[in-house]
Amino acid sequence: MLLALSAVAAAENAAPISETHYAAARELLATMNVAETLRVTSEMAADTMIRQNPVLAPYRDVILEWQASFLNWETLEASYVNLYAEAFSEQELREMTRFYRTPVGRKSLTKLPELMNKAAAIGESYARDNLPALQMMIEERA
């Protein structure tokens, strides 16, 4: 409760975010091509969902249609801009934009979704392989 009150007090005392700060966040997200990344990661998420629950395979197109309708850039952009503007200073946003405009920055943007998907698959595999240990730990606790 005290922590929640501290967070509210901090939010009330925080300086409002300027329009140039929001503009820097929008510029970064555009440079990062977040709209396209969102589309690609939605497809990856649908495929992961289907891998975890194969009965959904015939509905992949429905899942993608739902994602396109409700989890699209037009719906999420303002929230993403706020998220980045609150997390980074205007100067930090501008520095990140400069980085993502370099060849290495551009390459990282193309590789990150693939790497994150592969990393998620690795985690999923390790979790699945070690599920018996979790079950045993739960049984011991029960």
Side-chain angles (χ1 to χ4, degrees):
M1 179 72 169
L2 183 59
L3 190 58
L5 291 174
S6 296
V8 169
E12 289 174 354
N13 293 327
I17 297 173
S18 71
E19 281 307 311
T20 59
H21 194 155
Y22 283 121
R26 277 190 291 279
E27 182 179 9
L28 172 63
L29 294 169
T31 300
M32 292 172 62
N33 200 14
V34 173
E36 176 63 14
T37 302
L38 183 61
R39 188 191 65 72
V40 170
T41 55
S42 288
E43 289 180 14
M44 290 180 194
D47 292 339
T48 298
M49 188 185 308
I50 291 166
R51 264 197 322 275
Q52 293 171 345
N53 191 356
V55 73
L56 295 175
Y59 305 102
R60 184 178 188 273
D61 61 327
V62 174
I63 295 167
L64 292 174
E65 181 181 342
W66 174 83
Q67 289 172 325
S69 296
F70 297 102
L71 301 176
N72 59 60
W73 184 238
E74 292 75 23
T75 302
L76 300 173
E77 180 180 14
S79 296
Y80 278 42
V81 168
N82 284 331
L83 182 70
Y84 276 73
E86 289 172 358
F88 300 102
S89 72
E90 184 175 343
Q91 180 60 34
E92 290 168 334
L93 292 165
R94 294 193 187 290
E95 288 176 26
M96 290 169 29
T97 299
R98 279 192 295 279
F99 168 71
Y100 284 125
R101 288 182 174 154
T102 68
V104 171
R106 301 297 312 157
K107 181 178 181 178
S108 72
L109 290 172
T110 62
K111 292 292 185 181
L112 280 175
E114 175 188 344
L115 293 172
M116 291 178 71
N117 193 43
K118 287 180 178 180
I122 290 168
E124 185 181 314
S125 173
Y126 275 82
R128 186 177 47 254
D129 291 348
N130 292 287
L131 191 56
L134 174 61
Q135 291 168 334
M136 185 169 39
M137 292 167 72
I138 291 171
E139 287 173 13
E140 288 173 2
R141 170 71 61 86

